[in-house]
Structures are given as structure tokens and as C-alpha cells.
Amino acid sequence: MLALDALLRDENVTHAAARLNITQSALSGRLNKLRQILNDPLFLPASTGRGVTATPHALAMKPELEQLLERLKQFAQRAHLFDPASSDRTFRIAASDNPAAILAPDLLPLIHDRAPGIRIAFIIPDRSRIGELLEHGDLDLYIGAPDDAPQDLIGRSLFDDELVTAQRIGHPRGTGPLSLDEFCSLDHLLISSNGGMFSGIIDGALAEHGRSRRVTVSVQSYALAPLLVATTDCLCTLPRRLLQRFTHSLDLFEPPLALGRLRIRRLR
């Protein structure tokens, strides 16, 4: 119903998807379902070549649709209000090690302050079942990369982050800018989410320049990485939000090659 309402309002798939905060492909999937349910095309390409035009059947439903959505809104407002200060609910959040390590240190004190009776369970996500678990209420939130979950889930961007390279304070190479030659010649620690891998996106970026690096340590835990780097001569390249918590034992540097940004979303 929300998809139909957004398309009637905007008569443009791109704008309607933005209104709903979903992808265009996800909106197209919902429109196809609506067409099957209502046995009508509902929207046709506009004669101008830009946007879509509602069919007579879709236009006829508009007044009643608006009334129905308003009644649902009033129903939701009359429903039991969530009071974090008195709640003893348990929230289950599926989040891989990286976003959990970045968000939990700030999130948990905030929750403890405003909702002392609430319990939080961080769960390693099963990417193949995220949509199913959210739909059935077995998960409350998924936090992670946009491509790791079904595209038709309602979500919101939490943050973008840049990658930086860390070394231990007192590293024998010194504290000057990190050159590409140094980067390739020194030992590295890599995070392997699946375990046991010694190559990742950074190695792919290096390969595009005809270069390679030496990865000598592979771990699955983002939280473990800064502790190991602080006691070895390995470098690691990870999100700034994670590494900046360890500047008492690590020096941070801009990587000597362009790397993409990390985007984290929450889905429910």
C-alpha cells in the first residue's frame, strides 16, 4: 500500500523509491506484486518519456487508499507506546564483527542510560536468512553492508567510513607518510570473515596497479586485530571509526592507494 501511495504521489519510480528509502529494483518488485494482486498494470510509461502515468483503475483507488493509510496511522498511534525507561525487552541485532565493534562501545552506554532494563543480543548474521528472520520477528535489526541482505528490506544508512592503515607506536619504519613501496614490503594483518583467507579487497586494489603485499596474519575478529597489531610489526588497514579507539597504542596513516569507502546500513 505504501508503494502504491508513493507511486501515485510522485508518478516517478526513482522519486517514489527515495520516498520509501528502498532501491528502485525493490520498488519494481512491489509494483509487480501489486499488478498481480489487483489485476491491472496500475502505471504505464508517461508519454513524455519521463516518469509513469497512473491507469484509471489506480486513480480510482487513490481516495480510498489515502483514507485507509490514515486509518492505519491512527491505529498505530493508539497502539501501546514503547517506553524505553520501563521496558525489559530483549533486542536481537544481527551484525558482523566490524559494525558491532564500531557501534557497540557507544551504543551500549546510551542504552544503559536511557533503558536500563533492556538487554541487547548481538548475533552473527546468517546472510541467507536475514530477511526471513526479520519477517518472523526472530531478529529486530540487521546492521551491515547493503549488499549482504535482501534489497527489498526497509533500511537507512548509518554511516560511511574511510579505510586507514595502522601500525604500532614505535614501529621501526618510523612515522613518516606511508609510501606504496613500504606498504608492499611490510607484513600485514588481514581480516577474513570466512576464516583462513590471506587476500581481500586491498589486494585486489593493489593488483590493479601491478603490485602485491605480504599478508602474514589472518584473523576473523575485527576486535582482535588492533590488539595484535599493537604487539607486532604488522600493518592493518581497517575502518577509521574502529581504529581511532586504539590511538593510545597505534599510529594511523592514509593508505598509499585509493580505496573505496565502507557503507553501513540498518535494516528492519
Side-chain angles (χ1 to χ4, degrees), residues 76-258:
Q77 290 173 343
R78 295 192 186 101
H80 173 69
L81 295 178
F82 172 70
D83 179 15
S86 60
S87 177
D88 60 357
R89 179 176 167 181
T90 296
F91 288 90
R92 291 174 173 81
I93 302 174
S96 58
D97 195 28
N98 176 23
I102 291 174
L103 294 173
D106 291 326
L107 177 63
L108 295 182
L110 181 65
I111 291 175
H112 180 73
D113 179 58
R114 299 186 182 182
I118 281 177
R119 298 189 302 176
I120 301 294
F122 282 98
I123 300 169
I124 296 175
D126 179 350
R127 291 182 175 86
S128 65
R129 300 185 62 214
I130 289 172
E132 172 192 345
L133 295 174
L134 286 170
E135 182 177 353
H136 293 166
D138 297 316
L139 287 178
D140 296 292
L141 286 175
Y142 164 72
I143 299 175
D147 295 337
D148 289 342
Q151 296 301 301
D152 59 347
L153 294 176
I154 296 174
R156 176 175 297 175
S157 293
L158 292 179
F159 61 84
D160 286 354
D161 203 359
E162 63 177 342
L163 296 173
V164 296
T165 299
Q167 66 180 38
R168 69 175 177 88
I169 292 178
H171 193 284
R173 84 160 194 93
T175 57
L178 186 61
S179 70
L180 184 57
D181 286 339
E182 282 183 313
F183 189 85
C184 293
S185 65
L186 295 170
D187 289 346
H188 289 259
L189 178 147
L190 174 144
I191 308 296
S192 171
S193 298
N194 295 325
M197 302 297 292
F198 286 84
S199 179
I201 59 172
I202 295 169
D203 300 280
L206 285 169
E208 292 179 359
H209 295 274
R211 305 295 297 266
S212 63
R213 62 176 179 163
R214 174 177 165 80
V215 178
T216 58
V217 180
S218 173
V219 298
Q220 284 188 275
S221 171
Y222 278 82
L224 179 60
L227 303 179
L228 295 180
V229 172
T231 59
T232 69
D233 288 339
C234 287
L235 307 183
C236 72
T237 303
L238 293 172
R240 181 182 291 277
R241 284 173 180 257
L242 173 64
L243 291 176
Q244 68 186 5
R245 297 182 180 278
F246 298 90
T247 51
H248 60 281
S249 59
L250 301 177
D251 290 322
L252 307 185
F253 302 88
E254 295 295 327
L257 73 166

Side-chain angles (χ1 to χ4, degrees), residues 47-68:
S47 58
T48 61
R50 300 181 63 183
V52 293
T53 301
T55 65
H57 184 51
L59 290 174
M61 290 190 294
K62 185 176 181 180
E64 188 170 351
L65 176 64
E66 292 175 348
Q67 295 174 16
L68 178 58

